[in-house]
Amino acid sequence: QKEVEQNSGPLSVPEGAIASLNCTYSDRGSQSFFWYRQYSGKSPELIMFIYSNGDKEDGRFTAQLNKASQYVSLLIRDSQPSDSATYLCAVNNNDMRFGAGTRLTVKP
Amino acid sequence: DGGITQSPKYLFRKEGQNVTLSCEQNLNHDAMYWYRQDPGQGLRLIYYSQIVNDFQKGDIAEGYSVSREKKESFPLTVTSAQKNPTAFYLCASQWTGVGQPQHFGDGTRLSIL
């Protein structure tokens, strides 16, 4: 079992829709959770982090964490073509573990 | 501007050659990391260092070497023992402690000639 699992996609949504990206992790001791966006050929950039169960909102982005289910998600509201990228989930206990990423395409 | 600088952006390696990838940060971060990314795959940890003059192997350290002589610098050498070096190499740094995010440089793309 992979430590951090994400659907590879591609996930395709129309412009203006909500994109929902999901991530599960195996280490119950994980304490912090991050979402990175990676455009093709570029390096990952941090867009959200969450430490506590529940929702955390930042502009059009909402991170959701459920530690009991070992599940973290990222919602992107009002999706734009510029949101088309690969989204990496990262989970930190004593070290950082990355998922393989979900490729999102937002169609105009 | 604070950040992480990786150089070169593109690098080509000849058969039997060692090459060194540079990573410099001016964020005053304690910890630095090297990852390898292959197409369609996630980030795999090569080496990391949490303090100067100390570093640990990651999941795929074979064929690679590092040094950490200064807090700001964490160069990665891809040795001739690494038979499949073609990949995108990412350097990251962070404050130590749980909950701290990692920040990445722009990466170096290494190819075999």
Side-chain angles (χ1 to χ4, degrees):
Chain A
Q1 182 188 7
K2 292 183 182 176
E3 294 173 283
V4 180
E5 293 212 47
Q6 299 180 252
N7 288 329
S8 61
L11 173 66
S12 181
V13 300
E15 184 174 356
I18 296 175
S20 178
L21 305 162
N22 304 316
C23 173
T24 58
Y25 59 94
S26 60
D27 184 353
R28 284 196 169 273
S30 299
Q31 299 180 44
S32 50
F33 307 85
F34 306 89
W35 284 99
Y36 288 82
R37 178 176 61 201
Q38 186 175 23
Y39 291 115
S40 181
K42 303 295 185 182
S43 64
E45 60 175 317
L46 180 69
I47 55 171
M48 287 287 289
F49 58 90
I50 187 166
Y51 306 141
S52 305
N53 278 331
D55 295 0
K56 179 181 179 183
E57 188 174 315
D58 184 0
R60 296 187 295 112
F61 298 98
T62 298
Q64 299 175 316
L65 175 62
N66 184 327
K67 288 187 178 180
S69 300
Q70 295 174 244
Y71 176 92
V72 58
S73 65
L74 179 70
L75 301 178
I76 306 174
R77 290 182 299 282
D78 188 23
S79 294
Q80 301 297 309
S82 59
D83 294 326
S84 297
T86 296
Y87 290 81
L88 304 176
C89 172
V91 175
N92 196 344
N93 190 355
N94 290 319
D95 53 12
M96 190 85 85
R97 294 292 172 178
F98 288 85
T102 298
R103 188 155 57 93
L104 172 66
T105 300
V106 181
K107 296 188 174 180
Chain B
D1 271 347
I4 303 167
T5 302
Q6 288 188 243
S7 63
K9 191 168 184 176
Y10 299 96
L11 187 58
F12 297 92
R13 195 191 88 170
K14 294 179 182 177
E15 197 76 32
Q17 186 182 42
N18 294 350
V19 292
T20 297
L21 285 59
S22 171
C23 179
E24 304 274 335
Q25 55 98 2
N26 60 5
L27 301 167
N28 203 31
H29 285 168
D30 301 301
M32 296 186 74
Y33 303 80
W34 275 105
Y35 293 94
R36 170 180 172 143
Q37 188 175 38
D38 293 281
Q41 296 193 32
L43 306 180
R44 292 188 289 168
L45 183 64
I46 305 173
Y47 269 99
Y48 66 100
S49 168
Q50 295 189 314
I51 56 171
V52 175
N53 292 322
D54 189 45
F55 48 83
Q56 282 76 42
K57 293 181 179 180
D59 300 320
I60 56 165
E62 186 174 347
Y64 301 96
S65 66
V66 293
S67 63
R68 186 89 186 274
E69 296 177 2
K70 299 186 300 181
K71 187 176 185 178
E72 303 80 17
S73 179
F74 192 41
L76 173 74
T77 296
V78 184
T79 74
S80 56
Q82 174 48 249
K83 297 306 179 188
N84 184 22
T86 298
F88 189 40
Y89 290 86
L90 289 159
C91 178
S93 70
Q94 70 170 100
W95 297 110
T96 51
V98 176
Q100 298 298 322
Q102 290 184 6
H103 300 273
F104 289 86
D106 289 340
T108 293
R109 199 165 295 277
L110 175 62
S111 303
I112 298 179
L113 276 179

